[in-house]
Amino acid sequence: MALPGARARGWAAAARAAQRRRRVEGAGGSPSPEPAGRRAALYVHWPYCEKRCSYCNFNKYIPRGVEEAAMQKCLVTEAQTLLRLSGVQRVESVFFGGGTPSLASPHTVAAVLEAVAQTAHLPADSEVTLEANPTSTPGSRLAEFGAAGVNRLSIGLQSLDNTELRLLGRTHSACDALRTLAEARRLFPGRVSVDLMLGLPAQQVGLWLGQLQELLHHCDDHLSLYQLSLERGTALFAQVQQGVLPAPDPELAAEMYQRGRAVLREAGFRQYEVSNFARNGALSTHNWTYWQCGQYLGIGPGAHGRFMPQGAGSHTREARIQTLEPDNWMKEVMMFGHGTRKRVPLGRLELLEEVLALGLRTDVGITHQHWQQFEPQLTLCDVFGANKEVQELLEQGLLQLDHRCVGGCQAEGAEASQGALTTALHRPRRSEKD
């Protein structure tokens, strides 16, 4: 399938040229000239799937037919509207999640990226990630997504055991997964992430570690370990509640996680976030924006966002949720330019709580410099230095805070000149885009 000529000559063509330069010259990019308030990441939600997995409670739908032209038009419109409303001038990453966005047409991906590039500055070397399922993305289709501007893949592999895959309601086999992974690495070298789940009902530590070891023979430089979360309303939750399946053992899941961390560390991976591991510098730029409390715009049915609508004259960050149901969302976009269903202004304390909760998930923790972007008047030590609960965590070795009161302790990966607050607690999450 060929992309339309105008688009191929636009942003996607520049992005492909930038990819070729990176391979020759090595990775690296110039720092953003715009202030933080003018920069953001963009999340695009494709709400459709072929089948609902037994564990999934995301906002997704199994349609009889998708009017993709209408969906594409609305995604483009909402992206343009929210970019103007936010006053964002530079989009630093784009993440197509879902649902199963690899079921969308590469034309739709190209249209959204071109609209973003026309409304704001989308650097040619920006990270553009697409979530893909093995059964929906043969090699030829992956190449088409690359031509549309995608330069990073996140593959929902989940398991290398066919019995577990059937339990999870996945439509692919272990062979399908490895075949797709090999083709993805050929087309997107160094920029392929895979997910592996742990803590399934009746799952055994040794067999799961065997899967992880096997995956290390095939994977690229980014891997995510996600613990199963039994969500009310899912088929798997009902089966456990009814006694059809045993409840996952949290102690076994903890053992899998800790031993899995050790295996990945031995293989040269840096655990830069609770669930995410990278080597050769292949961190997810998009997810790092979330964990650093950066701005992000959520586009599509049920998408979440966090940004300051400066284009409307506001200087307060808002948490936004788009209308869930696709048909209703499209009607609202056609009427108003966007389908925002809920807006919640974030107060100063609420924002600082997010800075803490998200920053403590990372290996860097919360540096003094980062904290001051959100609270320039008080250091971390001013806020937490005399707190009784913090002192107890410090004594137990579960938290670190710099005794020099410059805002923190030395977290692994932090610069020596920066203080940081960091935690030794690690609990995995279920999805890369969460």
Side-chain angles (χ1 to χ4, degrees):
M1 177 177 66
L3 291 171
R7 287 186 193 143
R9 292 191 297 271
W11 182 86
R16 292 196 298 275
Q19 279 185 281
R20 289 193 292 270
R21 287 196 301 273
R22 275 200 306 272
R23 291 170 187 169
V24 174
E25 302 168 3
S30 58
S32 302
E34 293 85 4
R38 298 291 185 179
R39 306 195 306 264
L42 185 76
Y43 173 76
V44 183
H45 190 75
W46 180 262
Y48 302 117
C49 284
E50 291 177 317
K51 179 178 181 291
R52 180 174 290 277
C53 297
S54 65
Y55 60 92
C56 183
N57 73 334
F58 288 158
N59 184 47
K60 56 175 59 176
Y61 302 85
I62 317 301
R64 293 180 179 176
V66 176
E67 296 182 12
E68 185 156 355
M71 174 61 72
Q72 178 188 123
K73 182 178 179 180
C74 287
L75 288 172
V76 165
T77 298
E78 186 166 72
Q80 293 171 327
T81 300
L82 293 189
L83 281 167
R84 295 189 184 108
L85 180 63
S86 66
V88 164
Q89 296 178 352
R90 179 186 177 102
V91 174
E92 301 198 307
S93 66
V94 182
F95 193 107
F96 290 88
T100 307
S102 51
L103 290 173
S105 164
H107 287 275
T108 293
V109 170
V112 172
L113 292 174
E114 200 66 35
V116 173
Q118 291 171 1
T119 311
H121 178 45
L122 179 64
D125 61 351
S126 296
E127 179 188 274
V128 179
T129 303
L130 178 86
E131 286 189 333
N133 281 348
T135 50
S136 63
T137 44
S140 59
R141 193 168 179 83
L142 289 178
E144 290 166 3
F145 281 120
V150 170
N151 56 33
R152 181 177 181 272
L153 292 179
S154 177
I155 299 178
L157 185 145
Q158 312 306 357
S159 175
L160 288 179
D161 181 285
N162 288 329
T163 300
E164 291 179 355
L165 289 169
R166 287 191 293 271
L167 174 70
L168 295 170
R170 306 296 284 176
T171 57
H172 67 269
S173 67
C175 287
D176 294 332
L178 293 178
R179 188 183 309 113
T180 300
L181 178 54
E183 187 64 11
R185 292 186 65 191
R186 185 183 69 81
L187 292 167
F188 303 89
R191 299 176 72 85
V192 179
S193 177
V194 292
D195 301 345
L196 186 66
M197 293 187 71
L198 59 91
L200 277 58
Q203 195 172 43
Q204 298 178 34
V205 175
L207 293 177
W208 181 81
L209 286 172
Q211 288 188 48
L212 179 58
Q213 293 282 10
E214 173 66 15
L215 186 56
L216 286 176
H217 294 299
H218 303 276
C219 74
D220 209 330
D221 291 331
H222 194 282
L223 194 148
S224 301
L225 301 182
Y226 295 128
Q227 182 177 346
L228 172 68
S229 176
L230 286 177
E231 304 288 354
R232 189 176 296 277
T234 64
L236 205 55
F237 179 91
Q239 288 175 300
V240 171
Q241 288 292 103
Q242 296 164 7
V244 177
L245 292 172
D249 186 330
E251 294 302 319
L252 286 181
E255 184 180 350
M256 290 177 199
Y257 178 61
Q258 295 296 356
R259 292 179 66 178
R261 291 175 63 203
V263 167
L264 291 173
R265 185 165 55 246
E266 181 68 21
F269 283 83
R270 166 190 166 192
Q271 184 180 13
Y272 70 100
E273 190 269 345
V274 169
S275 296
N276 287 271
F277 302 77
R279 60 187 174 190
N280 299 324
L283 284 70
S284 168
T285 300
H286 186 86
N287 283 350
W288 191 255
T289 298
Y290 295 161
W291 301 319
Q292 292 291 288
C293 236
Q295 292 195 119
Y296 58 98
L297 312 182
I299 307 300
H304 288 233
R306 293 282 194 283
F307 67 89
M308 188 183 298
Q310 296 182 81
S314 173
H315 297 284
T316 300
R317 183 181 292 218
E318 295 180 352
R320 289 186 170 226
I321 303 176
Q322 307 309 100
T323 293
L324 294 174
E325 203 278 328
D327 288 345
N328 291 335
W329 171 80
M330 283 193 280
K331 290 176 184 176
E332 292 176 20
V333 172
M334 288 186 284
M335 289 178 64
F336 308 114
H338 66 93
T340 304
R341 177 57 57 92
K342 187 176 182 180
R343 297 169 52 188
V344 180
L346 297 176
R348 175 167 167 261
L349 290 180
E350 291 171 306
L351 180 56
L352 292 177
E353 284 176 356
E354 289 195 354
V355 171
L356 287 168
L358 295 171
L360 287 175
R361 296 185 60 85
T362 70
D363 64 342
V364 174
I366 302 155
T367 66
H368 179 62
Q369 182 181 17
H370 179 62
W371 175 262
Q372 285 196 313
Q373 293 178 21
F374 301 92
E375 177 47 79
Q377 304 302 319
L378 297 172
T379 68
L380 285 166
C381 205
D382 291 333
V383 177
F384 298 107
N387 183 277
K388 180 181 177 182
E389 288 81 5
V390 168
Q391 291 301 318
E392 291 176 354
L393 292 171
L394 292 172
E395 291 170 4
Q396 296 171 39
L398 298 176
L399 195 70
Q400 295 175 306
L401 181 64
D402 187 12
H403 68 279
R404 293 170 297 173
C405 297
V406 295
C409 73
Q410 271 329 106
E412 182 183 353
E415 296 294 335
S417 61
Q418 297 177 333
L421 181 71
T422 189
T423 178
L425 291 173
H426 294 281
R427 291 180 62 83
R429 294 184 78 180
R430 185 169 59 87
S431 169
E432 186 186 51
K433 65 178 175 287
D434 282 354

